Every structure is written in C-alpha cells, then in structure tokens.
Amino acid sequence: MAVLFRIGARGSKLSLAQTEQTRARWAALLGVELSALEIVPIVTTGDTIQDRRLIESGGKGLFTKELDEALLDGRIDVGIHSLKDLPTRLPDGIVLACVPEREDPRDAFVSLKAKSLAELPAGANVGTASLRRQAQVLYARPDLGVVTLRGNVDTRLKKLEAGDADATFLALAGLKRLGLEARAVSLVDPIETPPAACQGALAITARADDARTLEALAKFEDANARIETEAERAFLEALDGSCRTPIGALARVNGAEMRFVGETLTPDGVTRWRRTETVALGGEVIAQARALGATLGGEIRDEAGDSIMMDHG
C-alpha cells in the first residue's frame, strides 16, 4: 500500500514506542495497513542533552524544533509529541490537530530502597531533572536531597541501580508504553501532588493548511483529553509555564463535571501556591476549560509574583 501519511517522531525509545502504538490505533481507525503510515525518526536537540537541565539549554522547544521544521518543510505530515513537551505557543503554520485518548497521568515513585517518598530516610537523594518534581519533593520532605538525573527512561533506571540516587519519579504513562510499569513501587496521589500539565497525553501536530491530514485526524480526537489538556495548557500559559517554573496541573473530566487542581512552588519547595476547583461543563466546553485554567493560573501569578521563577543568578 502506498504511503498516505508520514509521521515524524523523536528518535528516543519511548517516543518511537508511543508513536508505534499511536500509528496502530490511527491505522485501525482509518482502515488502512500499517505500511500506509510511515514513521520518520528525527533526532531533536533535546535528545542529545543528557548532562544538564533543559532550562540551561533553551527549554521545552528543544524537543519540538526539528519536528516543526520537518512539518513546515513538507518532509512529514504529522508530528507526534508527548503533550507536556509541547510549548504553549506553536510556530506559525502549525496547529495542535489532535489529542488522542489520554494514558494515566500520574507520577510513579521508583526506588530500590523505599516504597514511597515518605519512607525514604532523612538525607536520602532523589534524582530528577524536573524543577517541578524537585520543588514538590522538597515541599513534602525538606530533609531530602535532590540530585540531577537526566536521560531517557532506561538511562535513569540504570543510574538508579548504580546508586546515583536513592529514588526517582517517572511518568507512569511512559513506563506503561515501554512495558516497564512494574518498576513503579507506588503511585503519587495526583490531587495531593499534581503531575506535569498534560502528562500522559499525546499531541499530534500538523500544518494548519493541510486539510487532508486534519480531516484524517479528526476521528482520532478524544473529547475529554482535549478538554483536560486545554485547561492545563491555559494554566501553564498564564504562569509563563516553561522549564523555568515548577508547575503541576491536572484536570479530569467526569461526566458533565471537570475537576482541576493546579499548583506552583518556589524551586526550593519552601512555598506553594495552589488552586482546586470543580466546574459543571456545558456549551463551549473548550473555551470554558481554557478560561478556567487561565483564571486560576492568573490568580497564582498575581499572588506569587516573581518568586516562582528559578534564580538564574
């Protein structure tokens, strides 16, 4: 069968795994063979950085820049991303065309020494490259240390086994997509400690003027996942959400209601600003979701001011 669509994806093991799974579901919906959807691996700048935080090199866009360029150049028809890696503002000519059904958004606690964060002994080190996870750890356990742990999932698990840290947190969705969910010794309560905005969700981007591709993606859209992630992205945007700001957010649609929890912390975990709200959904639900996220994010931004930004000095 001739190739109908070319799918761009990062070359990492996790990205290729979730792209393969997404391709299979999309092909089934379209009623075509897998070979009609060609995967084009693209190495991004973010994949080559293994020794420091993304903030030190440019932030979230490092995982999307090369795929955006390939889209605009016509080398691929769609890009598949983890939605939490997608900047809140996309380049001109590119749209967030589709949000498929969302995987479990929770964080997983991974350790060979304890069953939960609460069980770690004082002075233990938690490894992470996420400013959010760092701040949430220090808020809950100021007696712990935090060390930088970068790399893909396999790399971080190996570093944990080598004793580089006593515990770490990984997205449960990523572990499940790699068949590694058994490595989670416990799951984090997402209301008490919300995950990264849009965690567990995938983003499929396309050219804004590519009607053929946009039409083919329409039936792949999951309404609840779109509502939830639009609320979370609006919350992020209101807070200037990037790798520079510790932000957790989770919206969950349940029937005609949506529950939202969002928080921002100082990087040292000393102070936390938090909002929770449950709203009835009706009418223009996407606009309603975005308005809720923007309002709650704006309230925190006004309350916290510049204290939530990581000190670059």
Side-chain angles (χ1 to χ4, degrees), residues 208-239:
D209 60 359
D210 185 355
R212 181 183 77 100
T213 299
L214 295 177
E215 182 180 353
L217 287 170
K219 64 175 68 176
F220 202 13
E221 172 91 349
D222 183 87
N224 286 353
R226 172 70 78 160
I227 294 166
E228 292 170 359
T229 55
E230 289 288 351
E232 292 165 29
R233 281 170 67 77
F235 182 77
L236 269 186
E237 191 169 11
L239 285 162

Side-chain angles (χ1 to χ4, degrees), residues 22 25-26 29 79-84 86 90 95-103 177 197-206 214 216-233 251-252 286 290:
T22 302
R25 293 198 300 272
W26 191 25
L29 279 173
I80 294 184
H81 309 267
S82 292
L83 187 42
K84 68 178 183 180
L86 206 65
L90 302 183
V95 294
L96 175 49
C98 174
V99 181
E101 186 177 358
R102 190 177 192 178
E103 182 53 273
R177 288 166 181 150
C198 304
Q199 188 158 294
L202 296 180
I204 304 182
T205 56
L214 295 177
L217 287 170
K219 64 175 68 176
F220 202 13
E221 172 91 349
D222 183 87
N224 286 353
R226 172 70 78 160
I227 294 166
E228 292 170 359
T229 55
E230 289 288 351
E232 292 165 29
R233 281 170 67 77
R252 294 305 263 169
I286 298 297
R290 287 196 60 81

Side-chain angles (χ1 to χ4, degrees), residues 148-172:
T148 300
L149 201 69
R150 277 224 10 97
N152 59 34
V153 172
D154 284 337
T155 300
R156 281 183 271 178
L157 289 173
K158 286 175 183 174
K159 287 180 177 179
L160 198 64
E161 290 163 1
D164 291 6
D166 298 306
T168 190
F169 291 94
L170 295 167
L172 177 60

